[in-house]
Amino acid sequence: MNFLRRGRLSWRGHPHLQKPLYHRALIITDCRRLGSQIDRTLSSRLWTIPVSLLLLAGAGWGTYGTSKPFRHTVLAVVRCSRVGIAAILNAVDYKTTFARTYATDADYGQALSECHTRSAQRVLRALLANGGVFIKMGQHMASLYVLPFEWTSTMRPLQDQCEPTPYEFVDALFQTDMGMPLTEVFEEFDPTPIGVASLAQVHIAQHRETGKKVAVKLQHPHLAEFCDIDMKMVEVTLGWVKYWFPEFELTWLGEEMRTNLPKEMDFTLEARNAERTIKDFKSIQTSLYIPDTITATKRVLIMEYIQGGRVDDLEYLADAHIDRNKVALELSRIFNQMVFVNGWFHADPHPGNLLIRPAPKGSRSPFNFEIVLLDHGLYFDIDPILRVNYAKLWLSLIAPASPATTLDRRKYAELVGNVGPDLYPVFEAALTGRAALQSSVDSVKEDDRSCRRASSIIDLQPQSKAELDAIRNAVVSTEGLLTSVFDVLRRVPRRVLMVLKLNDLTRSLDYALMTTHSNIRIFLITAKYCTYAVWQDERKRLIDAMIHKGIFNFPLLRGCFSCWWKFRRQYAKLVIGEIFLDLQAIAIIKKAWVKGLWRKGFQGAHQAAAGLAY
């Protein structure tokens, strides 16, 4: 190291060291230059990353707006992920609940009820987020009263929790379908809808041509575009449910929606259904009123506007001096006429589709009110054989219990509902909305004595809290019963299932109206229409036989008279029973009126008689 000391740390005096050190300096310099160039390059190119992302996002957004397949793919992924997450979480929740051990049956029932509630709430959030057809699926689930109570009660808010379409989109849809803007057809048009459903919304307007106040029903503009993809997602979702829980098969619900949705989305069909219903009731003295149709296209329906209240609004009925008992009975008559006589019935019944108003001047109603039936998008026919067998099933349920009656009940239940003896008690409970009758079960548990079983519908007592709790607890705690419920839903013909919805509507409204007549009163109305339907079928059979064998055939004449006499006798018995129960109902109202008068004067008497608090 002496040369370093002598050269004062210099390499100039040593030529053999000069080249390597020079190269090293060049390398260091080049590295520094390269590093600075890399820094400049990176700094100059880093800004391209967010720009590229923005360009990519813009291209995606543009493609989403212009490419229908791309847009549908994105929506499918988003919607499917919502429902998929809910389905997976529910599957895990149910599997975990079933896998646990419980000290008592009550603990198991409580845990299962809580699991039902959590699962239903997850599905509800997913359906609300997806909207459209998914809302319709939730509404169907809410109406399936044989499902666990936690599910139906959670889904019920979907009846009136739909997002409205903004006015500018509604105006564009109207102009596309009608060929002119809203302002040319209507003098006034309220941009705020008075009702929003899963498929359409309704606005109030003043019609220029007729000068009448009208209701304008407009389909949600994007519904038709996304209907197919939504239906596929519904079917995929129900397929997942079937995969995870094979015993809880609801794939039939997707098939039913696939069949019925195109009908409900065609407003010209709704107009034709309304016209047919008007003709069916034209020769009948009834309180039913169907609004007139002014114009109908596939997505736009202009009809007469009806001002009224909900049929279960007791305050509205009291202010209009409308007897709530008569309202409940008229509702039962209207829907029984549709099912047992006309063979053509409204298949989407719920309180939102019913209005009541004081009978206007010139009304055909035999009472001081009219019941207005709305939303005629979905109707079903019921063939004569099924209709008569269904009537005979009801008559067997009303008849006094006997071995022959029990056999008839099971025979007609199989013909009507496609259910065997093992599922008959479940089907009967769904039909009547009550616990199974005495002859329908082989034995009654000792701990179920609090719920007394009647021998026939006529023997039914007012539904007690004990009976209601027994039904709900049985669904969640009785082993295999929930599976049987789903099995019944899968087996029962779709038309029969829709008829069961009608039964449930009349029963629930009879309860909501706080009627003072007996709980079997509406069953007597059903029995009258069933008796008439069976007589008409026998009469037609005998007339056809007379045409072939001669009108003066004595055995046929005797058989015709015998059938007629049997019909008149049964019908008279039912009428007498109705009169007796109606007198009881009037007595209860009068008693309430006197009690209200004693406590709070005439105002209290009026409120007490109307079923209101005073």
Side-chain angles (χ1 to χ4, degrees):
M1 301 292 295
N2 291 334
F3 71 93
L4 292 176
R5 295 191 189 98
R6 286 193 299 266
R8 295 184 180 179
L9 302 178
S10 174
W11 45 264
R12 297 179 188 273
H14 302 273
H16 61 282
L17 293 176
Q18 184 173 350
K19 189 173 183 179
L21 289 175
Y22 176 70
H23 282 179
R24 289 175 187 175
L26 287 177
I27 291 173
I28 292 172
T29 304
D30 290 341
C31 288
R32 288 174 179 173
R33 289 175 180 172
L34 180 61
S36 62
Q37 290 177 358
I38 292 174
D39 290 340
R40 286 194 299 270
T41 302
L42 288 175
S43 60
S44 63
R45 293 183 179 179
L46 278 176
W47 66 272
T48 62
I49 297 176
V51 172
S52 300
L53 292 175
L54 288 174
L55 291 174
L56 184 62
W61 180 256
T63 306
Y64 181 87
T66 57
S67 174
K68 189 174 181 179
F70 180 77
R71 180 167 62 254
H72 286 184
T73 302
V74 173
L75 286 174
V77 172
V78 173
R79 296 184 179 213
C80 191
S81 63
R82 289 190 189 122
V83 179
I85 291 172
I88 292 172
L89 292 176
N90 286 355
V92 174
D93 200 352
Y94 274 108
K95 293 288 186 182
T96 304
T97 301
F98 291 149
R100 291 174 184 161
T101 56
Y102 302 92
T104 63
D105 290 342
D107 292 340
Y108 171 72
Q110 179 66 24
L112 188 56
S113 177
E114 292 173 356
C115 181
H116 285 321
T117 301
R118 290 192 302 268
S119 301
Q121 289 174 348
R122 292 188 192 102
V123 173
L124 176 65
R125 288 192 291 268
L127 297 182
L128 286 172
N130 284 348
V133 174
F134 288 89
I135 298 291
K136 197 70 179 177
M137 183 179 74
Q139 292 173 351
H140 277 291
M141 296 175 69
S143 64
L144 293 176
Y145 51 91
V146 290
L147 291 178
F149 173 76
E150 295 82 359
W151 276 90
T152 56
S153 60
T154 302
M155 296 298 162
R156 198 161 290 129
L158 290 175
Q159 298 287 356
D160 54 9
Q161 284 191 7
C162 301
E163 289 294 326
T165 298
Y167 173 78
E168 56 269 22
F169 296 111
V170 166
D171 188 23
L173 177 140
F174 187 88
Q175 189 161 352
T176 300
D177 283 36
M178 301 294 292
M180 61 187 75
L182 288 166
T183 54
E184 289 189 20
V185 179
F186 306 107
E187 292 182 5
E188 297 177 3
F189 185 89
D190 189 351
T192 303
I194 59 171
V196 183
S198 57
L199 304 182
Q201 60 190 45
V202 179
H203 297 257
I204 300 176
Q206 192 78 24
H207 197 235
R208 284 186 181 276
E209 183 178 347
T210 62
K212 294 181 178 179
K213 194 174 185 180
V214 295
V216 186
K217 184 175 181 180
L218 300 163
Q219 193 175 113
H220 297 305
H222 300 297
L223 184 66
E225 179 183 358
F226 301 132
C227 181
D228 288 339
I229 186 173
D230 282 350
M231 278 308 311
K232 289 178 182 177
M233 291 302 99
V234 167
E235 291 168 350
V236 168
T237 301
L238 296 176
W240 287 343
V241 173
K242 182 180 178 180
Y243 175 79
W244 286 99
F245 304 98
E247 64 275 18
F248 299 158
E249 183 180 351
L250 286 172
T251 53
W252 59 266
L253 181 58
E255 296 168 1
E256 191 69 17
M257 292 179 64
R258 173 74 72 177
T259 302
N260 294 335
L261 267 178
K263 299 177 183 178
E264 295 187 80
M265 292 171 62
D266 186 353
F267 292 169
T268 60
L269 178 61
E270 179 173 348
R272 292 197 298 272
N273 290 341
E275 290 174 5
R276 176 172 173 178
T277 305
I278 292 173
K279 290 179 182 178
D280 285 346
F281 282 84
K282 188 175 183 179
S283 60
I284 303 170
Q285 191 177 26
T286 177
S287 62
L288 177 66
Y289 185 81
I290 308 294
D292 291 332
T293 300
I294 298 174
T295 303
T297 68
K298 191 168 184 179
R299 297 190 297 174
V300 178
L301 180 63
I302 305 174
M303 51 193 167
E304 176 188 6
Y305 174 72
I306 303 295
Q307 181 72 41
R310 283 176 59 102
V311 291
D312 55 356
D313 188 342
L314 293 178
E315 290 188 5
Y316 181 88
L317 298 180
D319 293 339
H321 301 283
I322 295 174
D323 188 337
R324 64 188 189 278
N325 287 346
K326 293 179 180 178
V327 173
L329 300 181
E330 269 296 279
L331 283 167
S332 182
R333 293 187 188 103
I334 288 169
F335 289 121
N336 278 293
Q337 173 74 25
M338 287 183 174
V339 173
F340 294 108
V341 180
N342 299 343
W344 172 259
F345 64 93
H346 195 291
D348 189 20
H350 57 79
N353 286 341
L354 292 165
L355 293 177
I356 192 165
R357 66 172 180 175
K361 188 176 180 180
S363 172
R364 297 189 303 114
S365 174
F367 305 106
N368 67 335
F369 61 86
E370 285 185 336
I371 295 174
V372 183
L373 184 59
L374 307 172
D375 194 359
H376 301 271
L378 189 61
Y379 271 72
F380 281 126
D381 57 358
I382 178 169
D383 66 80
I385 295 176
L386 178 60
R387 178 160 47 92
V388 172
N389 285 333
Y390 182 58
K392 291 180 178 179
L393 172 60
W394 266 109
L395 293 176
S396 68
L397 291 170
I398 292 170
S402 68
T405 301
T406 301
L407 290 176
D408 283 344
R409 291 173 182 175
R410 295 177 182 270
K411 168 188 171 183
Y412 290 115
E414 187 166 5
L415 291 173
V416 171
N418 194 31
V419 294
D422 54 333
L423 294 175
Y424 172 77
V426 177
F427 179 66
E428 183 193 277
L431 189 66
T432 63
R434 303 294 297 269
L437 299 177
Q438 203 173 62
S439 60
S440 304
V441 290
D442 297 328
S443 62
V444 180
K445 293 182 180 179
E446 292 298 327
D447 59 351
D448 197 28
R449 297 296 182 186
S450 60
C451 176
R452 190 183 75 83
R453 297 181 186 273
S455 61
S456 73
I457 288 180
I458 299 299
D459 297 330
L460 286 172
Q461 298 295 320
Q463 192 170 42
S464 63
K465 185 177 183 301
E467 180 185 351
L468 192 59
D469 291 341
I471 294 173
R472 290 176 179 174
N473 292 335
V475 173
V476 298
S477 61
T478 303
E479 185 177 358
L481 183 55
L482 188 59
T483 304
S484 298
V485 170
F486 280 94
D487 198 11
V488 167
L489 289 174
R490 180 176 58 84
R491 291 170 177 265
V492 171
R494 302 281 72 82
R495 277 162 174 73
V496 176
L497 195 62
M498 295 300 174
V499 172
L500 295 183
K501 289 175 64 177
L502 281 177
N503 292 341
D504 185 56
L505 175 69
T506 54
R507 285 195 303 267
S508 61
L509 286 176
D510 188 68
Y511 177 79
L513 287 167
M514 299 180 66
T515 54
T516 59
H517 50 236
S518 169
N519 62 300
I520 66 170
R521 180 63 178 87
I522 58 175
F523 290 133
L524 291 185
I525 292 178
T526 300
K528 287 173 63 177
Y529 280 90
C530 291
T531 302
Y532 180 78
V534 172
W535 153 242
Q536 288 295 311
D537 180 68
E538 291 291 330
R539 179 173 170 270
K540 181 178 181 300
R541 182 181 61 81
L542 290 168
I543 290 175
D544 290 342
M546 287 181 181
I547 292 174
H548 289 89
K549 296 183 179 181
I551 191 171
F552 296 108
N553 187 296
F554 182 74
L556 288 177
L557 287 173
R558 185 178 60 184
C560 186
F561 178 79
S562 176
C563 288
W564 174 83
W565 178 250
K566 180 181 178 182
F567 160 67
R568 296 309 306 178
R569 187 178 58 186
Q570 289 180 339
Y571 201 87
K573 287 181 179 179
L574 293 170
V575 170
I576 293 171
E578 286 184 322
I579 294 172
F580 176 74
L581 293 179
D582 288 344
L583 290 175
Q584 281 187 332
I586 293 172
I588 293 173
I589 291 178
K590 296 301 182 183
K591 183 178 179 181
W593 188 90
V594 172
K595 187 180 292 185
L597 179 67
W598 176 260
R599 292 184 178 180
K600 291 195 175 180
F602 287 104
Q603 181 66 25
H606 176 70
Q607 290 179 330
L612 300 172
Y614 60 97

